[in-house]
PDB file of all heavy atoms in Angstrom:
ATOM      1  N   GLN A   2     128.269  40.187 102.469  1.00  0.00           N
ATOM      2  CA  GLN A   2     129.068  38.998 102.775  1.00  0.00           C
ATOM      3  C   GLN A   2     129.195  38.868 104.290  1.00  0.00           C
ATOM      4  O   GLN A   2     129.426  39.861 104.987  1.00  0.00           O
ATOM      5  CB  GLN A   2     130.466  39.102 102.173  1.00  0.00           C
ATOM      6  CG  GLN A   2     130.499  39.018 100.649  1.00  0.00           C
ATOM      7  CD  GLN A   2     130.118  40.327  99.991  1.00  0.00           C
ATOM      8  OE1 GLN A   2     130.612  41.379 100.365  1.00  0.00           O
ATOM      9  NE2 GLN A   2     129.226  40.271  99.014  1.00  0.00           N
ATOM     10  N   GLN A   4     130.740  36.466 107.618  1.00  0.00           N
ATOM     11  CA  GLN A   4     131.773  35.516 108.039  1.00  0.00           C
ATOM     12  C   GLN A   4     131.610  35.261 109.530  1.00  0.00           C
ATOM     13  O   GLN A   4     131.912  36.117 110.341  1.00  0.00           O
ATOM     14  CB  GLN A   4     133.156  36.063 107.750  1.00  0.00           C
ATOM     15  CG  GLN A   4     134.304  35.151 108.152  1.00  0.00           C
ATOM     16  CD  GLN A   4     134.556  34.048 107.146  1.00  0.00           C
ATOM     17  OE1 GLN A   4     134.245  34.200 105.974  1.00  0.00           O
ATOM     18  NE2 GLN A   4     135.108  32.952 107.604  1.00  0.00           N
ATOM     19  N   LEU A  10     134.717  23.914 121.206  1.00  0.00           N
ATOM     20  CA  LEU A  10     134.270  22.885 122.142  1.00  0.00           C
ATOM     21  C   LEU A  10     134.220  23.474 123.548  1.00  0.00           C
ATOM     22  O   LEU A  10     135.185  24.096 123.998  1.00  0.00           O
ATOM     23  CB  LEU A  10     135.230  21.702 122.101  1.00  0.00           C
ATOM     24  CG  LEU A  10     134.996  20.582 123.119  1.00  0.00           C
ATOM     25  CD1 LEU A  10     133.656  19.911 122.866  1.00  0.00           C
ATOM     26  CD2 LEU A  10     136.138  19.569 123.057  1.00  0.00           C
ATOM     27  N   LEU A  17     130.294  30.796 125.334  1.00  0.00           N
ATOM     28  CA  LEU A  17     131.008  31.131 124.103  1.00  0.00           C
ATOM     29  C   LEU A  17     130.399  32.395 123.538  1.00  0.00           C
ATOM     30  O   LEU A  17     129.206  32.673 123.769  1.00  0.00           O
ATOM     31  CB  LEU A  17     130.871  30.014 123.060  1.00  0.00           C
ATOM     32  CG  LEU A  17     131.788  28.796 123.112  1.00  0.00           C
ATOM     33  CD1 LEU A  17     131.396  27.816 122.017  1.00  0.00           C
ATOM     34  CD2 LEU A  17     133.248  29.186 122.987  1.00  0.00           C
ATOM     35  N   VAL A  28     125.613  47.412 105.894  1.00  0.00           N
ATOM     36  CA  VAL A  28     125.053  46.352 106.718  1.00  0.00           C
ATOM     37  C   VAL A  28     124.154  46.902 107.812  1.00  0.00           C
ATOM     38  O   VAL A  28     123.224  46.237 108.253  1.00  0.00           O
ATOM     39  CB  VAL A  28     126.196  45.511 107.331  1.00  0.00           C
ATOM     40  CG1 VAL A  28     125.660  44.428 108.232  1.00  0.00           C
ATOM     41  CG2 VAL A  28     127.026  44.894 106.216  1.00  0.00           C
ATOM     42  N   GLY A  34     120.402  37.950 112.035  1.00  0.00           N
ATOM     43  CA  GLY A  34     119.990  36.883 112.933  1.00  0.00           C
ATOM     44  C   GLY A  34     120.979  35.749 112.995  1.00  0.00           C
ATOM     45  O   GLY A  34     121.920  35.681 112.208  1.00  0.00           O
ATOM     46  N   PHE A  36     121.023  31.462 113.290  1.00  0.00           N
ATOM     47  CA  PHE A  36     120.304  30.200 113.139  1.00  0.00           C
ATOM     48  C   PHE A  36     121.263  29.078 113.494  1.00  0.00           C
ATOM     49  O   PHE A  36     122.472  29.291 113.549  1.00  0.00           O
ATOM     50  CB  PHE A  36     119.815  30.035 111.701  1.00  0.00           C
ATOM     51  CG  PHE A  36     118.766  31.041 111.298  1.00  0.00           C
ATOM     52  CD1 PHE A  36     119.098  32.350 111.033  1.00  0.00           C
ATOM     53  CD2 PHE A  36     117.435  30.664 111.193  1.00  0.00           C
ATOM     54  CE1 PHE A  36     118.138  33.288 110.668  1.00  0.00           C
ATOM     55  CE2 PHE A  36     116.461  31.578 110.825  1.00  0.00           C
ATOM     56  CZ  PHE A  36     116.820  32.892 110.569  1.00  0.00           C
ATOM     57  N   ARG A  44     117.734  23.457 109.735  1.00  0.00           N
ATOM     58  CA  ARG A  44     118.227  24.724 110.265  1.00  0.00           C
ATOM     59  C   ARG A  44     117.062  25.452 110.933  1.00  0.00           C
ATOM     60  O   ARG A  44     115.971  25.544 110.370  1.00  0.00           O
ATOM     61  CB  ARG A  44     118.805  25.570 109.136  1.00  0.00           C
ATOM     62  CG  ARG A  44     119.584  26.768 109.608  1.00  0.00           C
ATOM     63  CD  ARG A  44     120.295  27.449 108.439  1.00  0.00           C
ATOM     64  NE  ARG A  44     121.206  26.543 107.748  1.00  0.00           N
ATOM     65  CZ  ARG A  44     122.016  26.926 106.768  1.00  0.00           C
ATOM     66  NH1 ARG A  44     122.031  28.195 106.369  1.00  0.00           N
ATOM     67  NH2 ARG A  44     122.795  26.041 106.187  1.00  0.00           N
ATOM     68  N   HIS A  49     117.253  37.104 116.531  1.00  0.00           N
ATOM     69  CA  HIS A  49     117.523  38.143 115.550  1.00  0.00           C
ATOM     70  C   HIS A  49     117.413  39.522 116.194  1.00  0.00           C
ATOM     71  O   HIS A  49     116.858  39.687 117.287  1.00  0.00           O
ATOM     72  CB  HIS A  49     116.676  37.994 114.291  1.00  0.00           C
ATOM     73  CG  HIS A  49     115.205  38.141 114.459  1.00  0.00           C
ATOM     74  ND1 HIS A  49     114.351  38.177 113.380  1.00  0.00           N
ATOM     75  CD2 HIS A  49     114.422  38.247 115.538  1.00  0.00           C
ATOM     76  CE1 HIS A  49     113.129  38.295 113.798  1.00  0.00           C
ATOM     77  NE2 HIS A  49     113.129  38.332 115.115  1.00  0.00           N
ATOM     78  N   VAL A  50     117.977  40.498 115.484  1.00  0.00           N
ATOM     79  CA  VAL A  50     118.062  41.859 116.000  1.00  0.00           C
ATOM     80  C   VAL A  50     117.771  42.825 114.862  1.00  0.00           C
ATOM     81  O   VAL A  50     118.141  42.597 113.709  1.00  0.00           O
ATOM     82  CB  VAL A  50     119.464  42.104 116.620  1.00  0.00           C
ATOM     83  CG1 VAL A  50     120.575  41.889 115.603  1.00  0.00           C
ATOM     84  CG2 VAL A  50     119.566  43.492 117.245  1.00  0.00           C
ATOM     85  N   SER A  51     117.104  43.911 115.179  1.00  0.00           N
ATOM     86  CA  SER A  51     116.769  44.928 114.185  1.00  0.00           C
ATOM     87  C   SER A  51     118.015  45.694 113.766  1.00  0.00           C
ATOM     88  O   SER A  51     119.063  45.592 114.399  1.00  0.00           O
ATOM     89  CB  SER A  51     115.717  45.877 114.739  1.00  0.00           C
ATOM     90  OG  SER A  51     116.214  46.523 115.901  1.00  0.00           O
ATOM     91  N   GLY A  54     119.522  47.658 116.461  1.00  0.00           N
ATOM     92  CA  GLY A  54     119.806  46.940 117.698  1.00  0.00           C
ATOM     93  C   GLY A  54     118.783  47.149 118.782  1.00  0.00           C
ATOM     94  O   GLY A  54     118.934  46.640 119.894  1.00  0.00           O
ATOM     95  N   ARG A  66     119.339  32.698 128.106  1.00  0.00           N
ATOM     96  CA  ARG A  66     120.712  32.173 128.123  1.00  0.00           C
ATOM     97  C   ARG A  66     121.588  32.840 127.062  1.00  0.00           C
ATOM     98  O   ARG A  66     122.788  33.019 127.270  1.00  0.00           O
ATOM     99  CB  ARG A  66     120.706  30.652 127.885  1.00  0.00           C
ATOM    100  CG  ARG A  66     119.938  29.872 128.925  1.00  0.00           C
ATOM    101  CD  ARG A  66     120.141  28.362 128.733  1.00  0.00           C
ATOM    102  NE  ARG A  66     119.626  27.898 127.447  1.00  0.00           N
ATOM    103  CZ  ARG A  66     120.369  27.283 126.541  1.00  0.00           C
ATOM    104  NH1 ARG A  66     121.663  27.048 126.760  1.00  0.00           N
ATOM    105  NH2 ARG A  66     119.816  26.867 125.407  1.00  0.00           N
ATOM    106  N   ILE A  69     121.807  38.385 121.771  1.00  0.00           N
ATOM    107  CA  ILE A  69     122.234  38.856 120.456  1.00  0.00           C
ATOM    108  C   ILE A  69     122.477  40.356 120.529  1.00  0.00           C
ATOM    109  O   ILE A  69     121.745  41.083 121.205  1.00  0.00           O
ATOM    110  CB  ILE A  69     121.187  38.506 119.367  1.00  0.00           C
ATOM    111  CG1 ILE A  69     121.747  38.800 117.978  1.00  0.00           C
ATOM    112  CG2 ILE A  69     119.874  39.236 119.611  1.00  0.00           C
ATOM    113  CD1 ILE A  69     120.855  38.283 116.843  1.00  0.00           C
ATOM    114  N   GLN A  81     126.195  36.059 122.368  1.00  0.00           N
ATOM    115  CA  GLN A  81     126.765  35.610 123.635  1.00  0.00           C
ATOM    116  C   GLN A  81     125.937  34.429 124.130  1.00  0.00           C
ATOM    117  O   GLN A  81     124.732  34.567 124.337  1.00  0.00           O
ATOM    118  CB  GLN A  81     126.748  36.734 124.657  1.00  0.00           C
ATOM    119  CG  GLN A  81     127.269  36.331 126.028  1.00  0.00           C
ATOM    120  CD  GLN A  81     128.741  35.983 126.007  1.00  0.00           C
ATOM    121  OE1 GLN A  81     129.543  36.677 125.400  1.00  0.00           O
ATOM    122  NE2 GLN A  81     129.115  34.881 126.676  1.00  0.00           N
ATOM    123  N   PRO A  87     124.244  20.466 126.138  1.00  0.00           N
ATOM    124  CA  PRO A  87     124.608  19.586 125.007  1.00  0.00           C
ATOM    125  C   PRO A  87     123.669  19.743 123.811  1.00  0.00           C
ATOM    126  O   PRO A  87     124.105  19.631 122.662  1.00  0.00           O
ATOM    127  CB  PRO A  87     124.509  18.188 125.627  1.00  0.00           C
ATOM    128  CG  PRO A  87     124.845  18.407 127.066  1.00  0.00           C
ATOM    129  CD  PRO A  87     124.220  19.731 127.413  1.00  0.00           C
ATOM    130  N   ALA A  97     121.302  37.755 107.193  1.00  0.00           N
ATOM    131  CA  ALA A  97     120.838  39.137 107.125  1.00  0.00           C
ATOM    132  C   ALA A  97     119.680  39.246 106.134  1.00  0.00           C
ATOM    133  O   ALA A  97     119.590  38.486 105.166  1.00  0.00           O
ATOM    134  CB  ALA A  97     121.976  40.059 106.707  1.00  0.00           C
ATOM    135  N   ARG A  98     118.810  40.209 106.406  1.00  0.00           N
ATOM    136  CA  ARG A  98     117.705  40.523 105.504  1.00  0.00           C
ATOM    137  C   ARG A  98     117.331  41.972 105.704  1.00  0.00           C
ATOM    138  O   ARG A  98     117.739  42.588 106.702  1.00  0.00           O
ATOM    139  CB  ARG A  98     116.503  39.612 105.747  1.00  0.00           C
ATOM    140  CG  ARG A  98     115.779  39.867 107.039  1.00  0.00           C
ATOM    141  CD  ARG A  98     114.676  38.842 107.268  1.00  0.00           C
ATOM    142  NE  ARG A  98     113.756  38.772 106.157  1.00  0.00           N
ATOM    143  CZ  ARG A  98     112.647  39.502 106.035  1.00  0.00           C
ATOM    144  NH1 ARG A  98     112.357  40.397 106.974  1.00  0.00           N
ATOM    145  NH2 ARG A  98     111.834  39.356 105.007  1.00  0.00           N
ATOM    146  N   TRP A 100     114.380  43.444 106.372  1.00  0.00           N
ATOM    147  CA  TRP A 100     113.384  43.830 107.369  1.00  0.00           C
ATOM    148  C   TRP A 100     113.382  42.895 108.573  1.00  0.00           C
ATOM    149  O   TRP A 100     113.483  41.700 108.453  1.00  0.00           O
ATOM    150  CB  TRP A 100     111.982  43.838 106.748  1.00  0.00           C
ATOM    151  CG  TRP A 100     111.899  44.674 105.517  1.00  0.00           C
ATOM    152  CD1 TRP A 100     111.770  44.252 104.234  1.00  0.00           C
ATOM    153  CD2 TRP A 100     111.969  46.112 105.463  1.00  0.00           C
ATOM    154  NE1 TRP A 100     111.752  45.328 103.379  1.00  0.00           N
ATOM    155  CE2 TRP A 100     111.859  46.477 104.094  1.00  0.00           C
ATOM    156  CE3 TRP A 100     112.104  47.112 106.425  1.00  0.00           C
ATOM    157  CZ2 TRP A 100     111.887  47.803 103.670  1.00  0.00           C
ATOM    158  CZ3 TRP A 100     112.126  48.434 106.002  1.00  0.00           C
ATOM    159  CH2 TRP A 100     112.013  48.771 104.657  1.00  0.00           C
ATOM    160  N   GLY A 102     111.617  40.996 111.735  1.00  0.00           N
ATOM    161  CA  GLY A 102     110.272  40.549 112.074  1.00  0.00           C
ATOM    162  C   GLY A 102     109.898  39.160 111.611  1.00  0.00           C
ATOM    163  O   GLY A 102     108.763  38.742 111.787  1.00  0.00           O
ATOM    164  N   ALA A 105     111.741  32.930 109.781  1.00  0.00           N
ATOM    165  CA  ALA A 105     111.786  31.876 108.762  1.00  0.00           C
ATOM    166  C   ALA A 105     113.136  31.857 108.047  1.00  0.00           C
ATOM    167  O   ALA A 105     113.612  32.892 107.576  1.00  0.00           O
ATOM    168  CB  ALA A 105     110.668  32.084 107.754  1.00  0.00           C
ATOM    169  N   ASP A 108     113.339  33.412 104.567  1.00  0.00           N
ATOM    170  CA  ASP A 108     113.164  34.865 104.429  1.00  0.00           C
ATOM    171  C   ASP A 108     114.481  35.631 104.508  1.00  0.00           C
ATOM    172  O   ASP A 108     114.498  36.841 104.318  1.00  0.00           O
ATOM    173  CB  ASP A 108     112.214  35.386 105.504  1.00  0.00           C
ATOM    174  CG  ASP A 108     110.776  34.987 105.234  1.00  0.00           C
ATOM    175  OD1 ASP A 108     110.468  34.617 104.086  1.00  0.00           O
ATOM    176  OD2 ASP A 108     109.958  35.043 106.176  1.00  0.00           O
ATOM    177  N   TYR A 111     120.871  36.559 102.899  1.00  0.00           N
ATOM    178  CA  TYR A 111     122.332  36.490 102.972  1.00  0.00           C
ATOM    179  C   TYR A 111     122.742  35.608 104.154  1.00  0.00           C
ATOM    180  O   TYR A 111     122.209  35.748 105.255  1.00  0.00           O
ATOM    181  CB  TYR A 111     122.925  37.889 103.132  1.00  0.00           C
ATOM    182  CG  TYR A 111     122.467  38.831 102.058  1.00  0.00           C
ATOM    183  CD1 TYR A 111     121.434  39.733 102.302  1.00  0.00           C
ATOM    184  CD2 TYR A 111     123.059  38.806 100.793  1.00  0.00           C
ATOM    185  CE1 TYR A 111     120.995  40.591 101.311  1.00  0.00           C
ATOM    186  CE2 TYR A 111     122.636  39.671  99.798  1.00  0.00           C
ATOM    187  CZ  TYR A 111     121.598  40.556 100.061  1.00  0.00           C
ATOM    188  OH  TYR A 111     121.162  41.396  99.070  1.00  0.00           O
ATOM    189  N   THR A 116     129.672  28.277 111.889  1.00  0.00           N
ATOM    190  CA  THR A 116     130.739  27.955 112.819  1.00  0.00           C
ATOM    191  C   THR A 116     130.209  26.892 113.784  1.00  0.00           C
ATOM    192  O   THR A 116     129.086  26.988 114.272  1.00  0.00           O
ATOM    193  CB  THR A 116     131.228  29.217 113.562  1.00  0.00           C
ATOM    194  OG1 THR A 116     132.352  28.887 114.384  1.00  0.00           O
ATOM    195  CG2 THR A 116     130.145  29.859 114.400  1.00  0.00           C
ATOM    196  N   THR A 119     130.245  22.848 119.844  1.00  0.00           N
ATOM    197  CA  THR A 119     130.057  21.528 120.417  1.00  0.00           C
ATOM    198  C   THR A 119     130.069  21.660 121.934  1.00  0.00           C
ATOM    199  O   THR A 119     131.032  22.180 122.506  1.00  0.00           O
ATOM    200  CB  THR A 119     131.158  20.560 119.984  1.00  0.00           C
ATOM    201  OG1 THR A 119     131.201  20.490 118.557  1.00  0.00           O
ATOM    202  CG2 THR A 119     130.899  19.165 120.543  1.00  0.00           C
TER     203      THR A 119
END
Side-chain angles (χ1 to χ4, degrees):
Q2 291 79 47
Q4 180 80 26
L10 174 64
L17 277 177
V28 178
F36 294 75
R44 192 172 302 186
H49 64 173
V50 59
S51 60
R66 300 188 297 122
I69 189 171
Q81 177 66 44
R98 70 185 305 270
W100 306 108
D108 287 342
Y111 306 99
T116 185
T119 303

